[in-house]
Amino acid sequence: MEELLAFALLHSVGFDIETDYRNKLDELFLETPEDDTLLELESMSSKTKESMDYIRLHFDYDQFDRYTFGKFLMETLKKHYSNTEIHLFARRMYLLWQRLPDNIQNEKPFDTMSYAGDSLTWGDEKQTRNHLEYMLNEYT
């Protein structure tokens, strides 16, 4: 479920991950078809936004694997980093940070999302990239 939460959060800030989300949902459902939550999400699969909203609203934020979530989130973000304009990517990181569960917002590497793009305001793209690449490579 941590992977689905990552997709839901990424989608909420504008990343185009619907196909990847559907594939992961199908994979998880095939592994555990008795899971009522996955069954509910599968029934909403044609309504991607609704199913991702459902995940964000019904996810147990107190009982989730931070490592699995973080690793998957950073791996997914890496795929978009080189294909997204740096100002847009940094802006999305800040929005993503705002949507993260409260209990991890101030943990490394997630807290980097809150300030990684700040140096762009004075034209320092290199520092922004250093911050973002540190964050993206934290789990490798």
Side-chain angles (χ1 to χ4, degrees):
M1 289 297 288
E2 285 80 0
E3 296 96 337
L4 297 180
L5 175 62
F7 280 136
L9 292 170
L10 290 169
H11 185 265
S12 77
V13 298
F15 285 100
D16 181 16
I17 47 79
E18 290 184 29
T19 301
D20 293 335
Y21 165 77
R22 285 191 198 112
N23 290 340
K24 179 53 81 172
L25 175 58
D26 291 345
E27 175 188 321
L28 293 172
F29 181 69
L30 289 173
E31 289 173 8
T32 54
E34 68 281 354
D35 186 308
D36 291 337
T37 302
L38 293 174
L39 179 61
E40 181 71 24
L41 293 170
E42 278 288 330
S43 71
M44 290 187 247
S45 66
S46 64
K47 301 172 186 171
T48 305
K49 183 186 178 327
E50 288 179 26
S51 65
M52 290 192 197
D53 288 345
Y54 181 91
I55 292 167
R56 290 176 49 219
L57 292 172
H58 293 92
F59 194 84
D60 185 355
Y61 292 98
D62 294 324
Q63 300 293 323
F64 78 107
D65 184 335
R66 288 172 161 88
Y67 182 82
T68 299
F69 171 78
K71 183 172 174 50
F72 186 81
L73 180 65
M74 296 310 159
E75 287 172 359
T76 305
L77 284 170
K78 278 182 190 179
K79 295 175 187 174
H80 295 272
Y81 175 64
S82 60
N83 299 324
T84 306
E85 193 272 326
I86 190 67
H87 288 84
L88 178 58
F89 192 86
R91 175 73 180 139
R92 286 181 177 168
M93 290 304 93
Y94 183 73
L95 294 172
L96 180 59
W97 175 78
Q98 291 178 315
R99 288 170 172 81
L100 288 175
D102 292 341
N103 57 351
I104 66 167
Q105 274 186 332
N106 296 317
E107 293 180 6
K108 295 282 183 210
F110 307 109
D111 65 337
T112 306
M113 294 175 184
S114 69
Y115 62 82
D118 289 355
S119 57
L120 289 173
T121 59
W122 58 86
D124 192 348
E125 182 178 321
K126 184 178 181 193
Q127 184 174 1
T128 294
R129 289 193 180 279
N130 286 340
H131 288 309
L132 290 171
E133 290 167 14
Y134 154 78
M135 176 190 76
L136 293 171
N137 291 311
E138 182 67 15
Y139 292 93
T140 56

